[in-house]
Structures are given as C-alpha cells and as structure tokens.
Amino acid sequence: MSESREFCPRCGDPVPERRDPLPGEPRGRDALLCDDCYFEDFELVDAPDRIEVLVCSGCGAVRRGESWRDVGARDYTDVAVDEVAEALGVHVDADDVEWGVEPEQVDENNVRMHCRFSGVVRGTLRSAEVTVPVKISRGTCDRCGRIAGGYYAGIVQVRADERDLTPAERAEALDIAETYVADQEADGDREAFITEVNETDDGPDIKLSSNRLAQNVATRITESLGGSFESYPTLVTEDGDGNEVYRVTFAVRLPKYADGEIIDPEDGDGPVLVTGVSGRLQGVRLATGAEYTSAFADGEAPDATRLGTRDDATETTVVTVEDENAIQVLDPVTYEAKTVPNPAFVDDDADEVLAFEHEGAVHLVPREGDAPTVTGRSDSE
C-alpha cells in the first residue's frame, strides 16, 4: 500500500505534511521546500549596503523623500539609528523578533551601525548580524533657505494712535508674535517662521512667512492690547500657474491711551487712571476710586488731556485723614500739606500714599497691582 507524501521540489526529499496556509501567508515554491533547502538561501534581515542621511545644517531637519522632517534627535547618531531602523527589513516568516543596534562613531560624518537580530522561523531560532555604514551629509532645508534669503509674505506693523508705544506694549506685541509662531512650529508647521523684526521709532515691523500667519498674529495682538488692524495687499509676482501673489501688510493701531496713563476726560469729575483699553476705555477716578468706563465703543476713545502716567507718581506722607471724603498729604513737589479728595482705594490706616502732581494739583494714585475699591457706582463719560 503506497503512502501519500509531499516532497521538496528542490532535493526531492520527503517533507512532513503541512497545514494549508492561512490567508496572507506565503503560498509560493519556498513554502514547499524542506528545512535544509529553505535555510540554504534564507536571510533573516534585508539590509542596504549603505545609507546616506541628508541633515539640514541650520535646524537639524532630515530629508526623507521629497520633504524635510523635524525628527527631534539629540545628535546625528540618533538620526542614524532612526534611518537604519526604517531601512532594515525582517523576513516575513520570522516570529518573536528581537533586535538591537550598537552605533560606532567613525568620525563626525560617518557612523557604523552594528545590528543584531533574532527570530523564530519554522520552529527554529535564527540570528543574524549586519553592519550598515551611515554617512551624514549636510544641506539646507527649504525653510532655512527661505529664512537665510530674507523671504517673507506678510508684515505686521504695530503702532499706537496719536502716541508712542510704551516699552511694555512693544515687548508684549513681540512676545505674542514669537509665542504664536513657536506654537505653530511645535504643531508641525515647518513653514511658520519670523523672518525679521525691525524696531522703528514708531513701533516694530514683524516680517512673517505667510499672510495667514501675519493675520493671526495681528488678531492676537489686538485681542490682548486693544485697538484694531487693517490690511493692505501689494501684488509682488505671479506663481507658475499664473496666479497673482500678494504680500500683505497688517497695520495694527493700538488705542489712543495706554494702560497706566493718567488722563482728564474734561467731564468735570477729574482725572482718570487708565486700566484697560480693549473695547471700551476703562479706568478709575483718582478723586473717588470709582470705576470709569468710556461711552465710546469699538476702540474709539474720548478727547482727553494727557496728564502723565502712573510711573510719574511718587510716595508721599499722609499728614492726617480728615474724614471719608478728605485726606491731608504732603505735596510731592513742594512738600506743603495739602487737603485732597480721599479716594476709596486708600487704606484708612495708610502712612504713605502714591501721589501725582500736575500744575499744582495733587492726585492720589492706586499702586500697580492694587485693585481699586469700587464705591458702589461707575462713572461713564
């Protein structure tokens, strides 16, 4: 009685009966070979003879295919490990694969990657060692090339209405721009960058890589510092498809009065310390401590006389508190005792207060960071 057996198609030796392959498993001739013939040509690892990695010398991005990628590597050895890991292939029949890599730094631009692999194939533990040379080449990515070439598409010009920008406003506007652009970069937008910041007497000009970026920066500056902006496009060229390409200037105009200014709205109720400029002008009456809100909306400001700023105020001595409406202090300029209104933001037991003198008149001013006490009413122009 004859026995039905399978035979190796290469050597003719009988092979054990095997189950039918599952969907996706190999069904070719190699699957029918006996173990000896199968392992004759078997390679556990498919490795390239050499790998060349192009790294941007400016930002460290790695060229992969037609694009540049930020890989966040600590050094070029990390880059070499990542590139070799992507280039190596393990045989599809291998299970329980384990591997490790040991880099050997030959010089600044060359690394040998010693790779060790193990896996179970046809119930047999197989291992392999391969060495892959990696050459690090330097180049310039598109982004760094644009920055070096001074490329920009949008400009944000930060100015103030009928006054100079304060140092704090200049610093905050630049911080808003830098923080927003850094967030876009962190989210993977490699085309987001600030090309240049030009500090002028009137305010900073911020050149950015795209009109979208510039518009978003202008929006955030006005949301934080108040005011508004307008856009002015300029045709600069046409792209390869004949579409017009515009460079847009976003002119930011901060409010007429700045936080910390002391103004007189000339409405008969005395000077106001400006405490907010986003939307309606807000402040505190120096005579009473009552909240002040301008009747003008949408960034408009009343016509008022500028008297000075909180920084012009100095500490002066309280002589006596006459009553809840009057207090006697030393004039910070003449040192004469003067009776002035007792605003709600002055403590009853204060020995010193912050005072501001203008044309012989003394006004008490709340210290920076102190929330004025509201007297139960709000003035509005």
Side-chain angles (χ1 to χ4, degrees), residues 193-204:
F193 57 85
I194 295 176
T195 304
E196 185 181 13
V197 176
N198 292 326
E199 287 282 7
T200 74
D201 292 340
D202 296 325

Side-chain angles (χ1 to χ4, degrees), residues 94-262:
D95 296 319
D96 300 326
V97 175
E98 295 182 359
W99 72 288
V101 60
E102 181 179 340
E104 176 192 355
Q105 190 78 44
V106 178
D107 55 37
E108 183 181 2
N109 298 319
N110 292 278
V111 182
R112 287 196 189 98
M113 308 301 293
H114 302 285
C115 310
R116 298 176 178 84
F117 288 81
S118 66
V120 177
V121 182
R122 291 194 175 190
T124 302
L125 180 64
R126 309 288 295 187
S127 61
E129 295 186 9
V130 294
T131 298
V132 181
V134 180
K135 179 176 176 56
I136 307 294
S137 299
R138 303 318 198 275
T140 301
C141 71
D142 299 336
R143 179 178 184 273
C144 289
R146 287 185 170 187
I147 295 175
Y151 173 84
Y152 66 96
I155 306 175
V156 176
Q157 292 182 336
V158 185
R159 306 289 188 266
D161 185 15
E162 297 184 21
R163 64 177 176 86
D164 294 333
L165 289 175
T166 67
E169 288 172 329
R170 284 177 178 264
E172 186 170 351
L174 292 179
D175 182 66
I176 290 170
E178 291 167 354
T179 300
Y180 176 70
V181 172
D183 289 343
Q184 298 306 298
E185 290 184 65
D187 289 340
D189 185 357
R190 298 201 77 254
E191 300 306 314
F193 57 85
I194 295 176
T195 304
E196 185 181 13
V197 176
N198 292 326
E199 287 282 7
T200 74
D201 292 340
D202 296 325
D205 294 344
I206 309 169
K207 296 181 179 180
L208 297 115
S209 56
S210 72
N211 291 323
R212 175 192 61 81
L213 200 68
Q215 181 174 359
N216 289 340
V217 166
T219 298
R220 281 157 176 78
I221 289 175
T222 53
E223 287 176 347
S224 178
L225 298 177
S228 60
F229 69 87
E230 295 181 352
S231 59
Y232 301 94
T234 301
L235 179 64
V236 291
T237 187
E238 292 185 354
D239 62 19
D241 297 326
N243 299 314
E244 295 179 336
V245 178
Y246 288 88
R247 180 173 290 159
V248 182
T249 296
F250 295 90
V252 174
R253 184 69 62 180
L254 299 189
K256 185 175 181 179
Y257 305 107
D259 187 8
E261 276 198 273
I262 298 173

Side-chain angles (χ1 to χ4, degrees), residues 304-368:
T305 302
R306 284 188 166 89
L307 305 183
T309 70
R310 190 206 300 265
D311 293 339
D312 297 326
T314 58
E315 295 282 352
T316 192
T317 302
V318 174
V319 177
T320 184
V321 177
E322 298 183 359
D323 55 38
E324 63 178 10
N325 298 316
I327 185 172
Q328 194 174 85
V329 300
L330 293 183
D331 186 311
V333 176
T334 66
Y335 300 105
E336 298 176 8
K338 287 188 176 180
T339 299
V340 299
N342 185 9
F345 53 77
V346 172
D347 293 335
D348 293 337
D349 57 353
D351 295 324
E352 291 186 327
V353 290
L354 202 59
F356 169 76
E357 193 271 347
H358 179 73
E359 295 183 352
V362 175
H363 309 280
L364 304 190
V365 181
R367 290 180 174 84
E368 189 171 3

Side-chain angles (χ1 to χ4, degrees), residues 9 18 21 24-33 38 93 122:
R18 300 189 178 99
E25 291 185 330
R27 297 172 177 267
R29 184 172 180 270
D30 286 351
L32 303 177
L33 296 175
Y38 179 81
D93 290 347
R122 291 194 175 190

